Amino acid sequence: MVIVLKVCHLYPDLLNLYGDRGNVIAFYRRCQWRGIEVKVEEVNLGDQVDFSSYDFLFMGGGSDREQNLLASDLGEQVENLKTAIEDNLVVLAICGGYQLLGKYYLMPDGTRVPGLGILDYYTEAGNKRLIGNIAVNLQMGDKEVYITGFENHGGKTFLGSVEPLGKVMSGNGNNGTDGHEGARYKNVFCSYLHGPLLPKNAAITDYMISQALKRRNKNFFLNDLDDTFEKRANSVMLERLL
Amino acid sequence: MRLIKTISALWLAKVVMLLSRLLGKGKGSTLPGMIALKIYPGLLHSFSFQLRKGIIIVTGTNGKTTTNNMLAQILAGSGYKVLANLEGANLKKGVTAAFIKAAGLSGKINCDYAVLEVDEGAFPGVVSDIKPQAVVVTNFFRDQLDRYGELDTTIQVVSRALKNTEKVKLVLNADDPLVAQLCKKTGQAAFFYGIDFIETSITGVIEDTKEAKFCPFCGNNLKYNLYHYSQLGDYVCPGCEFRRPEPDINVSRVYKDGNYFYGSMYFDNNNINLSVPAGGVYNYYNALAAFAASVYLGIEPQVSAGVLYNYTSAIGRMDRFFYNDKPVLLNLVKNPTGFNQSLAALLAQERFQNLLIAINDNDADGRDISWLWDVNFEAIEEKENYFNNFICTGKRGEEMAVRLKYAGVSTNKITVEKSLEGAVSAALSQESEVTYLLVTYTALWQVDSILNKKAKRVGYSAESMPSVS
Ligand SMILES: [Zn+2]
């Protein structure tokens, strides 16, 4: 029987900066190359979504202008999303999408723009954008990996009770001070890494695929792929940064 | 004192210009300006008063160089003496270098007009020094985001600088909502140009990244009666007054026939034909922008149209070479819209080809290369048989290879070659009917000089490859 995984690309029109759709492409291709069928559905403003029905949810980054628009739209479906996350839905949230899942965004004038409040962290507007190549060290299942990407964010994020995704080896990460990058809760992976993140960090992509399969109780052996190109692209940046 | 500073800055810069040319470092287009500004920061300001007629600035994401060169040719063709930064050196130091080059040893500039292409980020710094008579804005697309944050920021930077400028005439693309908004946003008067209708076969099916989805004034979703490409078209806001302004220069219909794009307009009680050597419809927009600016400056429309009909492009943007009997085409790529257009042009060829892609991530290229994921490389998949080899090179060639792999290109057709020289050799010598080289900004001159050694330059081709800069 063919295994089918359903991908939800949330607000692709709004949250798609810096080639973020490359993450969906990577998830899709790495499944396809192993004979797993993938259906990508784009969900836009105003659409009703049953998050539990998906296997992978992707939220990209957007400009500030666009983020305001969708916190209110998504607000109505927040319980639905929370339930799916508790039920181990695999989520990748980048930059703006990452900030949105948190408690609030603190503006320079002291206004708190509420987030969805699903994960325990907040973001405050910084006085300068954190921009540049970044290398992060993290634990993915039983593997220790070094990932690379490009960060470009004005907000600084501070974690509460959730774990960071990894340790910053070079670059700024969440806020440029505490050495943390991203956030991790159950199968939710949040990060400031554009690049996009998944294509040249194949270990993360594969781990997410395996978690998605596990959630559906699929017994599927994820065979190794030839990742020569991916590893080379990643190591070029690692050598430059470390 | 000021004169002494001007002269000493000028002389030293001229020496540097000469030396850098003798040593073959770059084209001597920015270093002299940088040095001169260090010695005398007011140099550009003091030069700017010498122009007999005025200064025109061209800015925007794509088409700056082409539009600027076209306008310079029109003005020169009308008998004016024109100073221009023709080499695409569009930061303040490059603009300064253009003045230095034009100045005599006494510091005198004997020109009527300065026609200057200026980078959006450098725009405020330049307009605060020199007061332009008119500013032409071509379009706003996503480009090299990391230098300025986001597209919104870029637009804001330009908008704010225009608002703070004393009276200036804007020459704006009515079809791009991001550009057209500048009239109301800045309170400056505008002269609009636009195209009513473009034959659909020309706009082609390019999967574009549409940028302007929301009204810049009230946030509603813009409605389009017609899309040309990207966010260009006939738009209207359902929530407020904002809509495509009625253009002063309005081309009714643009179509392609053979090596030309044809269009006509009714202006000043006359029917005027504006026909431009092909390249892509964006090239028609470049010509239209230059045409509109020239008409605003009082140039006879028929004269402008005549110059544009015979327009020859600038160096480096669509260079054509031959390697033995094989055509070799070199083109600059710097953002998704431009890359998609180049890609569409070479996929339409249906000739057996080698494609070299050189991606650098130096400051001038944009340090963030993630925009490569917004380019529609997926379009290659069904035409893969026409490709012998994809050769990826440059500082981020490895990542380009990953992009192609995830676009569905067979990995046995993808090569990563670290050295530019080796990559160019492979692209030339491996079997194919034609070789294309698509490169980012800082790889352009390097690849160009490698090609000069290995292949024979046969000039510039207006129709073979699109020029987007
Ligand atoms: Zn509106």
Side-chain angles (χ1 to χ4, degrees), chain A residues 40-54:
Chain A
V40 180
E41 289 178 12
E42 301 195 338
V43 168
N44 288 299
L45 274 182
D47 293 350
Q48 281 298 317
V49 209
D50 174 14
F51 288 105
S52 303
S53 70
Y54 290 101

Side-chain angles (χ1 to χ4, degrees), chain B residues 431-452:
Chain B
E431 197 199 334
S432 70
E433 291 172 84
V434 58
T435 294
Y436 287 103
L437 305 101
L438 304 180
V439 307
T440 59
Y441 190 77
T442 63
L444 185 64
W445 297 116
Q446 287 171 288
V447 170
D448 186 81
S449 72
I450 296 168
L451 278 175
N452 261 328

Side-chain angles (χ1 to χ4, degrees), chain A residues 13 16 29-30 196 226 230, chain B residues 142 213 373 399 405-406:
Chain A
D13 286 349
N16 188 23
R29 290 287 186 191
R30 296 187 74 81
D226 177 359
E230 291 86 338
Chain B
R142 268 200 243 165
K213 290 153 295 225
W373 292 84
E399 205 143 330
K405 176 181 174 183
Y406 282 84

Side-chain angles (χ1 to χ4, degrees), chain A residues 115-127:
Chain A
L116 298 174
I118 296 176
L119 300 181
D120 185 16
Y121 52 78
Y122 69 94
T123 305
E124 63 181 40
N127 39 17

Side-chain angles (χ1 to χ4, degrees), chain B residues 1 17 22 33 63 84 107 144 147 165 183 234 240 263 309 400 426-427 430-431 434:
Chain B
M1 190 55 201
M17 197 175 273
L22 289 175
Q144 304 181 0
R147 280 195 300 162
T165 305
C183 179
D234 181 12
C240 73
Y309 186 83
M400 186 59 232
Q430 288 176 11
E431 197 199 334
V434 58

Side-chain angles (χ1 to χ4, degrees), chain A residues 13-14 16 18-19 21-22 25 29-30 63 129 131 150 195-196 199-200 226 229-230 236-237 240, chain B residues 142 145-146 149-150 152 213-214 361 367-368 370 373-374 378 396 398-399 402 405-408 411 416:
Chain A
D13 286 349
L14 292 156
N16 188 23
Y18 317 108
R21 74 190 189 103
I25 296 174
R29 290 287 186 191
R30 296 187 74 81
S63 67
R129 290 188 80 81
I131 302 177
F150 195 92
K200 67 171 183 287
D226 177 359
F229 283 132
E230 291 86 338
V236 163
M237 192 42 74
R240 200 196 285 187
Chain B
R142 268 200 243 165
L145 285 157
D146 61 302
E150 294 160 0
D152 283 359
K213 290 153 295 225
F214 305 102
D361 65 352
R367 289 183 298 143
D368 181 10
S370 51
W373 292 84
D374 290 326
E378 281 72 14
R396 301 298 289 276
E398 296 80 6
E399 205 143 330
V402 172
K405 176 181 174 183
Y406 282 84
T411 46
V416 179

Side-chain angles (χ1 to χ4, degrees), chain B residues 52-319:
Chain B
R52 286 187 289 267
K53 299 283 289 182
I55 298 171
I56 320 301
I57 289 180
V58 179
T59 193
T61 312
N62 285 349
K64 283 190 289 283
T65 304
T66 308
T67 302
N68 203 57
N69 292 349
M70 285 173 162
L71 182 57
Q73 279 196 17
I74 293 171
L75 293 173
S78 309
Y80 291 110
K81 207 153 178 282
V82 182
L83 176 175
N85 54 340
L86 293 176
E87 289 155 320
N90 57 17
L91 303 179
K92 189 167 171 180
K93 54 193 180 189
V95 170
T96 306
F99 277 89
I100 291 168
K101 213 164 145 189
L105 287 176
S106 65
K108 175 124 185 56
I109 291 176
N110 177 27
C111 288
D112 299 298
Y113 282 106
V115 182
L116 306 167
E117 167 202 343
V118 178
D119 175 87
E120 307 93 285
F123 184 77
V126 174
V127 285
S128 69
D129 265 24
I130 57 178
K131 165 84 180 67
Q133 175 182 358
V135 173
V136 183
V137 186
T138 55
N139 47 55
F140 285 119
F141 297 124
R142 268 200 243 165
D143 186 20
Q144 304 181 0
L145 285 157
D146 61 302
R147 280 195 300 162
Y148 315 120
E150 294 160 0
L151 183 68
D152 283 359
T153 318
T154 304
I155 297 170
Q156 234 175 56
V157 162
V158 173
S159 175
R160 209 170 290 156
L162 284 171
K163 201 172 177 174
N164 295 335
T165 305
E166 256 176 82
K167 203 171 146 237
V168 58
K169 187 81 166 188
L170 307 180
V171 180
L172 302 180
N173 187 340
D175 300 344
D176 183 346
L178 294 175
V179 171
Q181 64 164 322
L182 289 176
C183 179
K184 195 174 157 197
K185 275 258 160 81
T186 64
Q188 304 283 4
F191 191 72
F192 286 103
Y193 61 91
I195 303 174
D196 266 351
F197 183 74
I198 301 170
E199 217 178 53
T200 39
S201 59
I202 301 161
T203 47
V205 192
I206 297 170
E207 202 179 282
D208 261 321
T209 30
K210 283 189 198 69
E211 199 54 62
K213 290 153 295 225
F214 305 102
C215 172
F217 297 101
C218 73
N220 266 290
N221 255 312
L222 290 176
K223 298 261 175 294
Y224 278 80
N225 299 319
L226 198 72
Y227 265 126
H228 296 333
Y229 62 89
S230 208
Q231 78 271 16
L232 273 60
D234 181 12
Y235 52 88
V236 56
C237 174
C240 73
E241 307 273 82
F242 187 58
R243 54 159 55 233
R244 173 188 185 245
E246 188 58 45
D248 301 275
I249 299 284
N250 193 15
V251 180
S252 49
R253 176 171 165 265
V254 171
Y255 64 96
K256 189 181 177 183
D257 190 9
N259 292 331
Y260 271 81
F261 277 103
Y262 295 91
S264 62
M265 70 195 91
Y266 195 69
F267 182 76
D268 221 7
N269 297 322
N270 282 308
N271 219 0
I272 297 154
N273 291 316
L274 181 62
S275 309
V276 183
V281 73
Y282 43 86
N283 207 37
Y284 196 88
Y285 267 110
N286 296 336
L288 189 55
F291 179 82
S294 73
V295 169
Y296 166 71
L297 293 173
I299 306 295
E300 188 62 44
Q302 304 291 2
V303 172
S304 299
V307 171
L308 291 169
Y309 186 83
N310 296 307
Y311 177 74
T312 46
S313 75
I315 296 171
R317 302 303 162 132
M318 37 182 117
D319 290 13

